[in-house]
Amino acid sequence: MSKAIFEDNSYIANAKQSNQGKIHKNVVKDTPIISPTNFLPINSVHHRGKGAFKYPFTLSAQKGKNLNIYTKNNGTSTVYLSVKVNGQDFGETTIPAGGQKTRNFEQLVGTGLSGNYEVYIYNNDGSLYDLNISARQY
């Protein structure tokens, strides 16, 4: 099972030192920094089988102004990702077989994202699902 990795513009620079304490080589790794304030309402779920994926969760404002919902479609058919917030449909996006997408939500005014969210992923042809899903609020 593979874990979802969120894109992040933060990097960790590691400096290797010689015996004399001098830096002779800098290595920059593309390592996402996950701060302790990250909240994972969906923590690396691997969904396989016949049934659609439906997952409700609640966010609170003090956990952050941003929400990323990551989906990787390892299956053989196109899936549709729908997100509802407090019962209001925020549209759906198409994820082809072998594709992946991240839905991003941001609170532009106010203290942070809050409310009842629901992620629903389905297909139209009854194919078996093989999905990796994660979500984080920060």
Side-chain angles (χ1 to χ4, degrees):
M1 169 169 48
S2 64
K3 293 198 176 210
I5 298 173
F6 293 100
E7 296 287 329
D8 193 326
N9 293 328
S10 302
Y11 300 100
I12 299 173
N14 295 320
K16 292 185 178 180
Q17 296 186 4
S18 69
N19 291 338
Q20 292 81 26
K22 295 181 182 177
I23 296 174
H24 67 272
K25 184 176 180 183
N26 285 327
V27 178
V28 177
K29 294 182 178 181
D30 291 345
T31 307
I33 297 174
I34 297 178
S35 71
T37 59
N38 284 344
F39 171 61
L40 302 172
I42 303 175
N43 190 8
S44 298
V45 172
H46 188 193
H47 178 75
R48 296 180 73 179
K50 278 202 155 285
F53 177 82
K54 186 174 183 179
Y55 194 88
F57 56 90
T58 302
L59 299 181
S60 59
Q62 61 268 33
K63 303 246 187 219
K65 291 186 170 194
N66 296 285
L67 172 68
N68 290 343
I69 301 170
Y70 169 85
T71 305
K72 169 107 171 87
N73 181 5
N74 303 303
T76 58
S77 69
T78 298
V79 297
Y80 304 91
L81 166 65
S82 172
V83 178
K84 289 184 179 179
V85 181
N86 295 324
Q88 180 182 353
D89 189 358
F90 272 74
E92 77 181 18
T93 187
T94 303
I95 307 170
Q100 61 186 0
K101 293 220 176 149
T102 300
R103 294 273 318 257
N104 302 299
F105 295 85
E106 181 179 9
Q107 176 72 42
L108 297 175
V109 178
T111 59
L113 291 171
S114 63
N116 298 311
Y117 286 69
E118 182 180 276
V119 172
Y120 181 58
I121 303 170
Y122 66 96
N123 64 34
N124 285 333
D125 63 5
S127 297
L128 292 176
Y129 294 92
D130 187 357
L131 306 166
N132 294 98
I133 307 114
S134 293
R136 75 171 176 148
Q137 181 183 8
Y138 57 99

